[in-house]
Amino acid sequence: MRNYTHLRLNNALNNKIQSHKLTKWLHKQNKRFYDYQILSYKAVCEKYDLLINAPTGTGKTLAALIAPIINFESDIETGKFSTIYISPLKSLIYDIKRNLQAPLQKTKLNIIVETRTGDTSSYNKQKQLKVPPNFLITTPESFALLMSYQNVEKFFLNIKYIIIDEIHNLIHTKRGDLLSLNLTRLSTFCPEAVKIALSATIGDTKKTLD
C-alpha cells in the first residue's frame, strides 16, 4: 500500500484514508490516488475552502469527493444530507451521479446519491424535501429554488461540503452572481461547511480568486 507520509498527513488522516473501503477498491483496480487528491483531502479535513484546478480527466471530481466519502460515517449520523454538488452543466450531472455510484456500489458504502434538475419529477422533488439524499447533485437554478423554500435552513442544517463544478462557466455571469448570493446565504445556515470549487481552464488562479 502506498505511503502518503511525504504529503504530511498526520497519522489519523493517513490511517483513515489507507484503511477506507474506497482506497482498497482503487488498489484492486490497480489505481492510486494522485498526490493532489490526497492534498485536497487533507485541506478539506482541515476546514480549508479550496479551488481544484486540474486538466480534464485527472480526477477533479474524485478529489472533491474523497473527504465527503471517507468522512461520511464520522461526520454525522447515517441518513443525513451532508454534501451538495452544484454543476452549471446539466448534461454532466447524470454522468457525475453514474461515475460516483459505481465505486459506492462496489464498496457497499451506504451513501444515497440523487440529482435535482428541471427534469426531476415533482414527486421526487417533494420526496427529497422530506427525506433528503446524503449527496445531492444539482444546478445553480435548482439550488436557487431550494433556497426559496420555507424552513430551508433546516433542510441544509447538516451540510458539511459544498462543491461547485466548472466554476469558470460561472465567473462574471448572472448565473454566477445568483449562485454567489445563495451560497452566502447558505453559509449562514451551515457556517462550518467547506466550499470546494473545480475547474480545468482557469489560467491565472490568483487573479480569479482576487
Side-chain angles (χ1 to χ4, degrees):
M1 188 170 289
R2 184 173 179 182
N3 186 340
Y4 298 122
T5 54
H6 68 289
L7 298 178
R8 299 181 181 178
L9 291 179
N10 63 41
N11 288 335
L13 291 182
N14 191 40
N15 292 337
K16 194 170 186 178
I17 197 169
Q18 291 197 40
S19 63
H20 196 269
K21 292 178 181 178
L22 179 62
T23 307
K24 293 179 179 179
W25 176 77
L26 281 174
H27 291 168
K28 288 181 180 179
Q29 312 303 310
N30 293 318
K31 297 179 180 178
R32 298 290 186 273
F33 290 120
Y34 291 116
D35 285 358
Y36 89 88
Q37 292 173 329
I38 301 299
L39 290 174
S40 297
Y41 167 72
K42 179 177 184 288
V44 172
C45 289
E46 293 175 351
K47 302 297 183 182
Y48 286 102
D49 295 336
L50 68 155
L51 167 64
I52 300 174
N53 188 38
T56 300
T58 58
K60 291 188 302 300
T61 301
L62 179 57
L65 288 166
I66 291 175
I69 292 172
I70 291 180
N71 295 342
F72 179 73
E73 292 181 355
S74 59
D75 271 337
I76 50 178
E77 59 185 276
T78 302
K80 297 296 184 180
F81 175 23
S82 69
T83 302
I84 183 165
Y85 190 115
I86 302 169
S87 172
L89 304 178
K90 187 170 69 172
S91 59
L92 293 180
I93 283 179
Y94 305 104
D95 289 337
I96 294 167
K97 179 186 177 183
R98 183 174 59 253
N99 293 336
L100 176 56
Q101 283 186 318
L104 294 181
Q105 291 172 354
K106 294 290 186 180
T107 54
K108 297 181 179 180
L109 290 167
N110 189 28
I111 299 176
I112 298 172
V113 182
E114 294 182 7
T115 60
R116 188 182 183 95
T117 70
D119 297 332
T120 305
S121 69
S122 297
Y123 171 79
N124 283 335
K125 287 180 178 179
Q126 289 301 314
K127 183 180 176 181
Q128 287 172 349
L129 291 175
K130 295 177 182 178
V131 185
N134 305 131
F135 292 5
L136 181 65
I137 308 170
T138 189
T139 62
E141 290 75 20
S142 290
F143 172 56
L145 286 173
L146 274 174
M147 292 296 290
S148 71
Y149 292 155
Q150 190 175 13
N151 298 323
V152 68
E153 65 276 9
K154 294 181 180 179
F155 182 76
F156 287 112
L157 181 63
N158 293 296
I159 287 293
K160 302 292 182 182
Y161 311 99
I162 303 165
I163 302 170
I164 306 99
D165 201 0
E166 304 287 342
I167 196 171
H168 55 275
N169 280 322
L170 294 167
I171 295 172
H172 307 311
T173 69
K174 291 182 178 180
R175 295 180 80 199
D177 292 342
L178 177 63
L179 177 60
S180 179
L181 288 171
N182 280 305
L183 288 174
T184 299
R185 182 167 175 240
L186 179 60
S187 293
T188 66
F189 307 153
C190 44
E192 298 300 316
V194 177
K195 299 180 185 68
I196 307 166
L198 309 178
S199 179
T201 60
I202 293 178
D204 189 339
T205 55
K206 185 178 187 304
K207 182 178 180 181
T208 300
L209 294 173
D210 290 343

